[in-house]
Short mmCIF file of all heavy atoms in Angstrom, two decimals:
data_model
loop_
_atom_site.label_atom_id
_atom_site.label_comp_id
_atom_site.label_asym_id
_atom_site.label_seq_id
_atom_site.Cartn_x
_atom_site.Cartn_y
_atom_site.Cartn_z
N GLY A 91 -66.03 -15.40 14.20
CA GLY A 91 -67.27 -15.64 14.83
C GLY A 91 -68.01 -14.41 15.08
O GLY A 91 -67.54 -13.29 14.93
N PRO A 92 -69.35 -14.56 15.32
CA PRO A 92 -70.29 -13.42 15.40
C PRO A 92 -70.16 -12.66 16.69
O PRO A 92 -69.56 -13.15 17.65
CB PRO A 92 -71.71 -14.10 15.31
CG PRO A 92 -71.48 -15.40 15.92
CD PRO A 92 -70.04 -15.82 15.50
N MET A 93 -70.73 -11.47 16.71
CA MET A 93 -70.67 -10.68 17.92
C MET A 93 -71.74 -11.29 18.85
O MET A 93 -72.66 -11.86 18.50
CB MET A 93 -71.21 -9.27 17.56
CG MET A 93 -70.25 -8.44 16.66
SD MET A 93 -70.94 -6.75 16.43
CE MET A 93 -72.31 -7.07 15.45
N ASN A 94 -71.42 -11.08 20.12
CA ASN A 94 -72.37 -11.57 21.21
C ASN A 94 -72.24 -10.54 22.34
O ASN A 94 -71.12 -10.06 22.62
CB ASN A 94 -71.98 -12.95 21.66
CG ASN A 94 -72.75 -14.03 20.93
OD1 ASN A 94 -73.95 -13.99 20.76
ND2 ASN A 94 -71.99 -15.01 20.49
N THR A 95 -73.31 -10.22 22.91
CA THR A 95 -73.18 -9.37 24.06
C THR A 95 -72.97 -10.16 25.35
O THR A 95 -72.63 -9.63 26.38
CB THR A 95 -74.48 -8.62 24.22
OG1 THR A 95 -75.57 -9.46 24.32
CG2 THR A 95 -74.66 -7.64 23.05
N GLY A 96 -73.13 -11.44 25.30
CA GLY A 96 -72.96 -12.24 26.54
C GLY A 96 -71.81 -13.19 26.41
O GLY A 96 -70.67 -12.81 26.64
N PHE A 97 -72.06 -14.42 25.99
CA PHE A 97 -70.99 -15.38 25.92
C PHE A 97 -70.39 -15.45 24.54
O PHE A 97 -70.91 -15.00 23.61
CB PHE A 97 -71.61 -16.78 26.30
CG PHE A 97 -72.72 -17.15 25.37
CD1 PHE A 97 -72.37 -17.94 24.23
CD2 PHE A 97 -74.00 -16.85 25.51
CE1 PHE A 97 -73.38 -18.39 23.31
CE2 PHE A 97 -74.95 -17.20 24.63
CZ PHE A 97 -74.67 -18.02 23.59
N GLN A 98 -69.26 -16.04 24.49
CA GLN A 98 -68.50 -16.17 23.20
C GLN A 98 -68.16 -17.60 23.01
O GLN A 98 -67.42 -18.21 23.82
CB GLN A 98 -67.28 -15.35 23.29
CG GLN A 98 -67.50 -13.89 23.75
CD GLN A 98 -66.20 -13.37 24.37
OE1 GLN A 98 -65.23 -13.98 24.44
NE2 GLN A 98 -66.24 -12.14 24.74
N LYS A 99 -68.60 -18.19 21.91
CA LYS A 99 -68.16 -19.51 21.60
C LYS A 99 -67.06 -19.53 20.57
O LYS A 99 -67.26 -19.42 19.34
CB LYS A 99 -69.37 -20.30 21.07
CG LYS A 99 -69.11 -21.73 20.70
CD LYS A 99 -70.34 -22.48 20.18
CE LYS A 99 -70.06 -23.87 19.82
NZ LYS A 99 -71.28 -24.53 19.34
N LEU A 100 -65.85 -19.54 21.08
CA LEU A 100 -64.68 -19.50 20.18
C LEU A 100 -64.43 -20.90 19.62
O LEU A 100 -64.51 -21.92 20.24
CB LEU A 100 -63.41 -19.09 21.00
CG LEU A 100 -63.39 -17.71 21.64
CD1 LEU A 100 -62.11 -17.43 22.30
CD2 LEU A 100 -63.80 -16.74 20.67
N VAL A 101 -64.18 -20.89 18.30
CA VAL A 101 -63.78 -22.14 17.62
C VAL A 101 -62.44 -22.05 17.08
O VAL A 101 -62.12 -21.22 16.12
CB VAL A 101 -64.84 -22.44 16.42
CG1 VAL A 101 -64.45 -23.72 15.70
CG2 VAL A 101 -66.29 -22.47 16.98
N PHE A 102 -61.57 -22.80 17.66
CA PHE A 102 -60.15 -22.75 17.27
C PHE A 102 -59.86 -23.83 16.22
O PHE A 102 -60.34 -24.93 16.27
CB PHE A 102 -59.27 -23.08 18.44
CG PHE A 102 -59.14 -22.05 19.46
CD1 PHE A 102 -60.18 -21.87 20.46
CD2 PHE A 102 -58.06 -21.13 19.50
CE1 PHE A 102 -60.03 -20.86 21.36
CE2 PHE A 102 -57.99 -20.15 20.48
CZ PHE A 102 -58.99 -20.03 21.38
N GLY A 103 -59.11 -23.42 15.16
CA GLY A 103 -58.64 -24.31 14.11
C GLY A 103 -57.40 -24.90 14.44
O GLY A 103 -57.02 -25.05 15.69
N THR A 104 -56.62 -25.35 13.51
CA THR A 104 -55.37 -26.07 13.77
C THR A 104 -54.16 -25.08 14.06
O THR A 104 -53.19 -25.45 14.57
CB THR A 104 -54.96 -26.87 12.52
OG1 THR A 104 -54.92 -26.08 11.34
CG2 THR A 104 -55.97 -28.01 12.33
N GLY A 105 -54.42 -23.79 13.67
CA GLY A 105 -53.38 -22.82 13.93
C GLY A 105 -52.14 -22.94 13.06
O GLY A 105 -51.97 -23.87 12.20
N THR A 106 -51.32 -21.90 13.14
CA THR A 106 -50.05 -21.83 12.40
C THR A 106 -48.91 -21.88 13.42
O THR A 106 -48.82 -21.01 14.30
CB THR A 106 -49.93 -20.59 11.58
OG1 THR A 106 -50.94 -20.60 10.56
CG2 THR A 106 -48.53 -20.46 10.87
N ARG A 107 -48.07 -22.82 13.27
CA ARG A 107 -46.90 -22.98 14.17
C ARG A 107 -45.74 -22.15 13.59
O ARG A 107 -45.21 -22.50 12.61
CB ARG A 107 -46.51 -24.44 14.30
CG ARG A 107 -45.42 -24.65 15.39
CD ARG A 107 -45.22 -26.18 15.52
NE ARG A 107 -46.41 -26.86 16.09
CZ ARG A 107 -46.84 -26.91 17.29
NH1 ARG A 107 -46.05 -26.38 18.20
NH2 ARG A 107 -47.95 -27.48 17.60
#
Side-chain angles (χ1 to χ4, degrees):
Chain A
M93 293 185 292
N94 268 310
T95 57
F97 61 93
Q98 310 154 358
K99 183 178 175 180
L100 298 185
V101 179
F102 287 83
T104 55
T106 297
R107 188 172 300 275

